[in-house]
Amino acid sequence: MSTPSLDFDPSNVSLPQGHFIGGTSYYSTNEASIAVYRPSDGQLLGYIPDASPDTIDHAVSNALQAWKTSRWATQPPRERAKVLTRWAELIDRNAVSLAQLEAVSSTRPVAEAYASDVPFTADAIRFFAELADKHGGDFAATRRESLGFVASEPYGVIGAITPWNFPLSMCSWKCGPALAAGNAVVLKPSELTPFSTLRLAELAIEAGIPPGIFNVVNGRGATTGAAITRHPDISKISFTGSTRTGAAIMSDAALHGTKPVTLELGGKSPQLVFERVPDLAHAAQCIARGFTSNGGQACVAGTRLIAHKRIVEPLLEAVQGHLANIAPGPLWRSTTSYSPLISQNQAERIAALIDASRASGAEVIFGGGYFEDTDGGYFHRPTLLANVTESTPAVRQELFGPVLTVQTFEDEDEGIALAGHPTYGLCAGIHTRDIGQAMRAMRRISAGTVWINRYGRSGDMIIPTGGFKQSGIGKDLGRQALEASMRYKSVLIDFDRT
Ligand code: NAD
């Protein structure tokens, strides 16, 4: 099959509107509007409603009603799996239009959205469909005349809140396990990138997911997001976003019903390169991609290079060689491979952190500032910062932009110690041909994911993702995400008394 032409005119893309509740688009007359801008060039793209408390109640009561009255939760899991598989097939079939919608309304270049975001979204849903009937427990060791077992059941309505980076994938990571386990979902996408999630909800209905089982409510975080977390009929919260918001959600969930939370939060991940690196060119490519992918706006971005003193110079030369080939441009051109920052706010935040880092002694040794002639988007140049220490702001805090700090070490212990981070523990990359050294580093670095001689997720949905320390609680993807979408009831029967 030939690859379709992906270049498109952004003014021809139609945007879904409103909220999506009870299986259809939903509008309320008394809601304020939120303007949504195109990250590629800063143009006004459209408006979404800012949900009123009545709209949130309407969404949650629709979800609860559908969960209680449709067969979604009670049917054999294989039947749910068939519907979810149809949803994945529809996503695949609509790959071009979904990639174009993602490119016009988020930071994803159309070619990348088509080649990875859309198939990964479909695959995540397919993976959880396949897993829907592949879990179960053992009987407990009890006295002979008793039978003890653990029954799993869905929570009911799960509230999901997603960030603006990778909106399609984030939706599938939340909905896949929640729906496969038999829950209903009320999801709030980021107010910066709401449109592709609404389109996924339309396709869910087309696939046969009962109306009300998957609802999308638009609005701001502090109001709509908080109202979802606090709603008495929402039994669990699954969140992806910043550490700061995660803490607010955890506190709200504790105070409003002691709800369980899954939190996928920020990172400040190291790429640790030992002297005996197996392939310096490959490591350089991992480093360049690791901190520039999606304009550095990935939770897993490898933004701290920790390199052995004896190889740092040729390594940095090779990294800079990759950075020189980066192609910013309109996200609706298939030749564009580099993303803009999401917003002016984000640009200002990054500039302030770079300034604060320079004031504390850091030196920009490559890049800095913005690409010119990009029609208005904030295309930040990939930037390398040297002369940094553990207290430099760019080392301590997540910038969420294409900025790599560079630190060096002389022996293994020093390198591993630098790779650890006091706050974050999302991922780490280790590059060495010495497997013993790789295993020692893997054991000692406190991170939820460790990549050895590679950097970045593969398409293996069975491998979960999630952070340690302030990078999060719980996992997305893998069996763990399905298990976290269910609660467990312990049952003990004395059958000699029946
Ligand atoms: P954010 O925390 O600002 O917002 C995330 C979502 O939370 C948005 O939908 C927002 O409207 C909502 N929100 C904001 N305040 C809220 C509140 N008080 N209550 C409920 N909801 C609220 O994050 P962002 O800027 O959209 O995304 C970037 C962040 O997400 C980065 O820190 C990144 O590392 C993180 N992230 C983590 C992962 C992961 O898997 N660990 C994946 C992607 C992004």
Side-chain angles (χ1 to χ4, degrees), residues 160-166 170 173-174 188-193 219-230 237 239-246 248-249 252 263-267 297-301 342 346 398 400 424 426 465-467 471-472 476:
I161 300 171
T162 52
W164 49 261
N165 61 340
F166 308 101
M170 292 297 110
W173 290 16
K174 298 302 183 196
K188 190 197 94 60
S190 168
E191 58 273 38
L192 301 177
T193 55
R220 298 189 195 280
T223 48
T224 307
I228 288 174
T229 309
R230 294 172 189 172
I237 299 294
F239 170 74
T240 297
S242 64
T243 294
R244 195 178 160 160
T245 306
I249 285 179
D252 266 353
L263 303 176
E264 298 297 344
L265 309 177
Q297 302 160 115
C299 54
V300 298
I342 183 75
Q346 187 58 10
E398 184 184 48
F400 229 51
Y424 294 112
L426 193 56
T465 178
S471 289
D476 274 341

Side-chain angles (χ1 to χ4, degrees), residues 268-274 283 286-287 290 300-307 409 415-416 418-420 426-432 437-438 441-442 445 447-456:
K268 193 72 230 179
S269 301
Q271 292 230 43
L272 175 59
V273 189
F274 287 104
C286 290
I287 290 154
V300 298
T303 51
R304 292 185 300 124
L305 172 62
I306 319 285
F409 64 93
I416 295 173
L418 282 174
L426 193 56
C427 315
I430 298 169
H431 301 268
T432 176
Q437 187 170 54
M442 180 276 288
I445 296 171
T449 295
V450 176
W451 288 301
I452 296 170
N453 296 329
R454 63 171 287 130
Y455 198 85

